[in-house]
Amino acid sequence: MAELSNQLMGFTVLAYLVAMVLYAGEYAFGNKSHIGRAAARPARQLVGAGAPVDSVEEPQPVVPKDKRAEWTGRAAVAVNLLALLLHLGTLVTRGVAADRMPWGNMYEYILSATFVGSAVWAGVLLRRPALRHIGLFASLALVVLLGAAGMIAYTPVGPLVPALQSYWFIIHVSTIIIASGVLLIGAVPATMFLIRDGYDQGKRRFPYTLGMSLPDATLLERLTFRLHAFAFPLFTFGALIAGPIWAEASWGRYWNWDPKEVWAFISWVVYAGYLHARATPSVKRTVATWIALLGFATMLMNLFGVNLFFSGLHSYANAGGM
Amino acid sequence: MRTALVLLFLLAIAAIPGSIFPQRAVDSQRVTEYYAAHPQLAPWLERLGGFEVYASPWFASIYLLLFTSLIGCVVPRLLDHIRALRIAVPDAPKRLERLPLSATKDLAGTPAEAAATAAQVLRKHRFRTKVREHEDGSWTVSAEKGYLKETGNLFFHFALLAVLVGVGFGHWYGWHGNRILVAGADQGFCNSLAQYDDSTLGPRVDAADLPNFCLTLDKFVAGYQDTGQPKAFSATVGVTQNDGPVETREFTVNDPLRLHHANVHLIGHGYAVTLRFTDRYGETQTKTVPFLPVDGMFTSEGVAQFPDVNIDPKTDKRDATLQMGFEGRYLPTVGTGATSTFPAENAPAIFLTAYRGDLGLDVGTPGSVYSLDQGQIATGDLKNVSGARPHELKIGETWTLDDGTKLEFVGTRPYATLAIRYDPTQSTILIGAVLGLIGLMLSLGGHRRRVWFRALPASADSGSGTLLAAGGLPRTDYPGFADEFTALVTAAEEGNP
Ligand code: HEM
């Protein structure tokens, strides 16, 4: 089973890679495709009476123009969904092999968090096909994160140490994994928004040139906010409530300031900063979005950096080895 | 809000050093190691609070500023919000068509009827609604929904304040201590400062305030995988609280022993070694000393010191050159190498080096109980009398030293490392945090919006009838508002709420 899981993991990365290439293909063929054009048309802007008001979406006509782009795009979505299934398979077989939930160490943790991210992305994809162009970046992010997990953090299947045998562990880790997955995938529309917005401002350098075929900036910005607003309370619960409850039972102190906790706290504060910035009318949406990306960087630091550089109480933070 | 933003960033940045440098509160051992590795830098870091970042004045000043700003922010908003909840929704603006959403409809009835229907529709959708009649014969309906968003937001920020205050009180009125508890009735522990290996009392706690209880470790069970990875632990203790009867309680990792005003957490375990020394005059002394594990397989190191041996019964004087110390390693499972190969006691043996001389215990400076005084060894006051190779002893074996004295390895007992804590506010903090979370979700999920209707008598020439104008204002980003508005207007037009 463990062997099967490892093989599935290989196929998963491969499938995301293929999806990425197909998305890129659609991109290359479809610069002038309906998606790009429909999205490039400015949405009807409403004039607010004093209050900041966002535009109201218009239905985007789906009139395929470029056949090749259309088919490549569809193939990309299909392969992306296949990759998601393989990803699920990797997790399930891993869990069966270890006879427990597959989140006992850093490798499994990244595997799970990226799965959540990928599932959220698939949900977005199915509900709003107009956002399909983000797929290139979403699958790129998944390939990079999964590749890093496989290369840096791979850990053979093993049982849980007693400190992790607690239902609070399951609650704590599962909520953080879901929140991290959503926050990680939230960085994708955030980046897209910044590119698209730059493009709309008339910037024509790389990477702003990519903005040409991206969905409407307002749409991207709102998706960014929705994902973050969903994940933030979940992260608050997982990291700042369930985590401390478990820590109290396990170590006696609800908060220990060990490096993982420090970085979770930092991420939380930065994301709170994002929500504040977005709610402050005098702060531009681009500035707020940069703060969200900073939050993403702190999450990555916690996923990879803390496990590799610092030692702490969080035993599942072990990278490889034991 | 901008100040809050800047302070939030400062807080995030200020938290970083605490993850880079070892923190005394997390692991004081690693601070000591850091001192050894960076003798130049460490004292400077110490002065800047680098080893106690989260207790440092600069960290405190940031969060206190943030919370001052928070109070300055949320108290006026709370007052505003209460006011907004008490007064009626403001009347419709003059020109509803200027609002982000607007519509007009021609209806058959009178303005009063149209207004009544619209108000009914809005109330049905749980808008706070106010109907006004105007002198020119027109009626207006004002409605607002989504107050919970602001309520939730205020709730969240006040909960943050409550949590901070709770943490502060917990720090003042809490205490904690660590203690190694060796199995056996003779090794019991009672809750007093002197009996802790180390302890910290909050600034408002007095040694006399500690709750009265005693513990004995009756049984300790550890289970391991074949690989040596731990599987499960369980400690069985006899507890006496306030001099009451002895209760037998079992607890484990993740499931602490909860006593009155104290929680006992199992945070580690190991083996204590029992050694019996027979001195030159045939007197025997037995000691049970905990050895500290140095690896996952429980290779354990420690010392047994016998200062009061080799006392000549004629003079009854202690000879400081004849004190005995044994230093070495205990391996629960001896393999081929110098370290244990399994954490359970499958083939236990101890490897000891014997020292004779002045142990240096009388000087008054408390040394480690896990190693001999290296200073005494360096000066030659304490000499190795058993050679370079440690002597191996299995359980029950006796070792005769060069002067005829004997050391018997009697056996081992398990010990549990206990962290004993009391934090009076932790449940309060939990409640605060959960309420705050609920507030946060209301705040992030809610949408505040206003809807107005104005019902005017239709122009004189067309006779009866009403012109119904509607306007909608989303006060926060809410993509679904357009649909909601259309539905409300349609319902008001058709008269079926
Ligand atoms: C301990 C630090 C703080 C944290 C973690 C925090 C967190 C948050 C979060 C997550 C929100 C988002 C709610 C939403 O978008 O509706 C929020 C909103 C808000 N915060 Fe804070 N906050 C903090 C301190 C402050 C301070 C110091 C102020 C005042 C200066 C403040 C004023 C506000 C305001 C006015 C909003 C409402 C934004 C709106 O919905 O229009 N916060 N806060």
Side-chain angles (χ1 to χ4, degrees), chain A residues 232 268 272 275-276 279, chain B residues 1 4 8 66-67 69-70 73 77 149 153 156-157 160 440 443-444:
Chain A
F232 186 76
W268 186 72
L275 295 178
H276 269 141
Chain B
M1 286 283 278
L8 278 173
L66 182 64
F67 279 87
S69 139
L70 185 56
C73 206
R77 277 184 58 188
K149 181 184 179 68
N153 192 288
F156 170 71
H157 286 89
L160 281 182
L440 177 66
S443 163
L444 286 172

Side-chain angles (χ1 to χ4, degrees), chain A residues 253 256-257, chain B residues 17-18 21-35 42-43 45-55 176 178 198 200 421:
Chain A
R253 283 176 69 174
N256 294 277
W257 290 113
Chain B
F21 304 115
Q23 298 296 296
R24 197 159 277 130
V26 180
D27 192 346
S28 57
Q29 182 65 31
R30 288 190 42 233
V31 177
T32 317
E33 285 164 17
Y34 194 89
Y35 260 92
L45 275 175
E46 186 78 71
R47 244 163 276 169
L48 294 174
F51 300 123
E52 272 155 14
V53 167
Y54 309 105
H176 66 92
N178 291 320
D198 62 87
T200 313
R421 299 192 155 266

Side-chain angles (χ1 to χ4, degrees), chain A residues 43-49 51-57 193 216-223 225 278 285, chain B residues 100-101 447 473-482:
Chain A
R44 187 158 54 101
Q45 200 67 39
L46 295 166
V47 185
V53 174
D54 285 284
S55 65
V56 170
E57 292 150 36
F193 164 68
D216 175 48
T218 323
L219 217 72
L220 288 168
E221 202 280 333
R222 188 173 294 143
L223 178 64
F225 175 69
R278 195 177 184 278
R285 287 282 153 93
Chain B
L101 295 172
H447 305 290
L473 175 68
R475 303 188 70 196
T476 48
D477 186 9
Y478 178 23
F481 185 52

Side-chain angles (χ1 to χ4, degrees), chain B residues 396-416:
Chain B
E397 286 183 351
T398 302
W399 175 22
T400 307
L401 298 175
D402 58 339
D403 60 349
T405 57
K406 292 196 184 78
L407 185 78
E408 184 190 348
F409 178 22
V410 180
T412 66
R413 295 185 194 181
Y415 71 76

